[in-house]
Amino acid sequence: MHAPGAAAPRVGFVSLGCPKALVDSEQILTQLRAEGYETAKSYAGADLVIVNTCGFIDAAVQESLDAIGEALAENGKVIVTGCLGAKKDASGADIITKVHPKVLAVTGPHAVAEVMESVHTHLPKPHDPFVDLVPDHGVKLTPKHYAYLKISEGCNHRCSFCIIPSMRGDLVSRPIHEVLQEAENLFKSGVKELLVISQDTSAYGVDVKFRTGFWNGRPVKTHMTQLAEELGKLAKQYGAWVRMHYVYPYPHVDQVIPLMGEHVLPYLDIPLQHAHPDVLKRMKRPASGEKNLDRILAWRKMNPDLTIRSTFIAGFPGETEEEFEYLLEFLKEAQIDRLGCFAYSPVEGATANELDNPVPEAVREERRARVMLLQEEISLKRMQAKVGKRLRVLVDEVGPREAIGRTSADAPEIDGVVHIKRALAPGKAKPAVGEFIEVVVTKADAHDLWATVA
């Protein structure tokens, strides 16, 4: 037991990787705070450092290994968690301990209990946890006005370029009442935008056969459609937004489109990866090309305000020039609003590495550049169509000359922003961070908008 009056033990924290890893970090920090540990702002001020790693692509592996090395050099006491913790090299040896044998402990992703056990071993906890030491909504690493809501772990797909299931396991959906309770706590704490994330949001509930749960005494199915409906009702109560990420284009997504409007945003983040049926087959993707185009056009008819964000891979093993041209044609027809494209990069342990006819690196890069050039034209046209329109914006930053915000079409940190000219008119209050304001768009480029307060 920690002596009364003694300084609380301090834990340093380094969080790398995607929003899903960020949620893991927030859960660990919440538990640390609940148990009376304090967080340190520097290596020097920490009694121990936790590094939450990413292991998805080689660059991320290197970044994680470098971060662990830095923490060991600066502090010496390091616990490692996250995706890289679950990775082995070709001989089956643990990657992290091979490079950094001095780390105190290594766990895989979403392992709050194991991380806390290691912390207790190397830095005994200061006192018994009291729930009132931490707010209901936990400790957040994102700005106060938006937060990520993780609805499941793992994935049932076995895409040939991906090693996430080998690190995070099969799909495990969180109970619906637990997800909705967390959402309500976050809204109560002042969150104005909730970003729903998972490995595969459309598959929510598949593992539990869409089991019926209870929320506020009402039966609610563990299913994406019901989840969107309930989150929409909660968001309406608090005047907030809900944004859906990592949505695969399954048929039941059609039922979610009509729910999209002021609160469940007309925004879909769909990782399509390619358009040609043969490439999708080699990728082992759970959807075929032509249907995707039909589906996108049907969704746009249902909801003309819909913004679609997607990612694609250029130069996947075996991709012919003809298959690549097919992808370009698809992009011209689909008119995707927000698009990221990666040149295929082999990931250790992925089955795609064994496929025939790898595309030379120079060709992969050249194809990626061609996709981005085409997308620049599409984005510019779609963005310029917004000039003169009145839009609702959530304010993220307020500076002396301008405020920066986002529309329903912009997810934080991955999409564009709106530069809002500050009104100099006397008596006009300056917009506050986390506030919704109406703006009129005056200018657009392929990524961002410029506007004045309406």
Side-chain angles (χ1 to χ4, degrees), residues 2 30 86 89 93 112 118 132 137 155 173 190 199 219 257 303 309 338 340 371 383 399:
H2 194 63
T30 296
D89 68 9
V112 179
S118 305
D132 59 357
H137 57 276
C155 183
S173 300
Q199 239 58 62
I257 306 294
N303 194 330
R309 140 164 285 284
R338 304 286 193 191
V371 167
M383 292 292 277

Side-chain angles (χ1 to χ4, degrees), residues 28 36 59 91 98 108 111 177 221 244 248 255 315 338 344 444 449:
I28 295 165
S91 66
K98 202 170 167 185
H177 70 273
K221 264 185 167 183
M244 309 290 252
Y248 282 80
Q255 300 156 20
R338 304 286 193 191
Y344 173 73
L449 299 172

Side-chain angles (χ1 to χ4, degrees), residues 45-96:
D47 299 307
L48 175 151
V49 177
I50 297 171
V51 180
N52 190 1
T53 58
C54 176
F56 188 43
I57 56 172
D58 294 347
V61 170
Q62 199 48 56
E63 185 191 13
S64 294
L65 290 172
D66 291 349
I68 296 163
E70 188 185 338
L72 281 168
E74 297 285 333
N75 183 283
K77 293 180 81 174
V78 179
I79 290 170
V80 179
T81 185
C83 284
L84 189 57
K87 274 190 101 167
K88 308 278 183 238
D89 68 9
S91 66
D94 184 72
I95 285 178
I96 291 169

Side-chain angles (χ1 to χ4, degrees), residues 80-276:
V80 179
T81 185
C83 284
L84 189 57
K87 274 190 101 167
K88 308 278 183 238
D89 68 9
S91 66
D94 184 72
I95 285 178
I96 291 169
T97 47
K98 202 170 167 185
V99 180
H100 297 299
K102 289 186 173 160
V103 296
L104 301 175
V106 177
T107 74
H110 52 97
V112 179
E114 290 94 316
V115 171
M116 291 310 298
E117 220 166 280
S118 305
V119 172
H120 296 154
T121 304
H122 300 284
L123 188 63
K125 63 179 171 178
H127 56 68
D128 291 333
F130 291 108
V131 176
D132 59 357
L133 284 178
V134 66
D136 273 349
H137 57 276
V139 175
K140 291 175 63 266
L141 296 179
T142 44
K144 192 175 177 325
H145 62 286
Y146 68 81
Y148 294 96
L149 178 69
K150 193 195 280 188
I151 61 170
S152 63
E153 277 296 350
C155 183
N156 288 344
H157 303 307
R158 294 295 179 265
C159 300
S160 58
F161 55 82
C162 182
I163 52 169
I164 283 174
S166 67
M167 295 190 284
R168 289 188 169 252
D170 283 340
L171 177 76
V172 179
S173 300
R174 290 178 62 195
I176 189 132
H177 70 273
E178 206 179 277
V179 172
L180 293 170
Q181 187 59 63
E182 188 178 335
E184 187 171 53
N185 289 344
L186 286 163
F187 285 139
K188 277 181 182 167
S189 78
V191 164
K192 288 295 171 201
E193 179 177 8
L194 212 48
L195 302 115
V196 176
I197 58 163
S198 67
Q199 239 58 62
D200 177 358
T201 296
S202 311
Y204 178 62
V206 164
D207 55 316
V208 292
K209 300 189 171 61
F210 306 121
R211 179 191 298 143
T212 298
F214 285 88
W215 167 244
N216 284 345
R218 289 182 294 108
V220 184
K221 264 185 167 183
T222 313
H223 188 284
M224 181 196 180
T225 312
Q226 270 86 342
L227 177 68
E229 216 171 315
E230 294 299 327
L231 287 174
K233 285 178 195 166
L234 274 174
K236 190 176 180 180
Q237 269 175 283
Y238 293 92
W241 282 352
V242 172
R243 190 183 296 277
M244 309 290 252
H245 284 278
Y246 310 110
V247 175
Y248 282 80
Y250 301 152
H252 66 253
V253 176
D254 296 357
Q255 300 156 20
V256 177
I257 306 294
L259 302 173
M260 292 180 159
E262 202 181 330
H263 297 291
V264 177
L265 297 179
Y267 177 100
L268 279 182
D269 171 9
I270 312 172
L272 293 169
Q273 311 300 15
H274 210 280
H276 196 286

Side-chain angles (χ1 to χ4, degrees), residues 14-29:
V14 179
S15 186
L16 305 168
C18 65
K20 291 176 279 293
L22 184 69
V23 174
D24 288 349
S25 297
E26 288 173 348
Q27 287 172 346
I28 295 165
L29 282 168

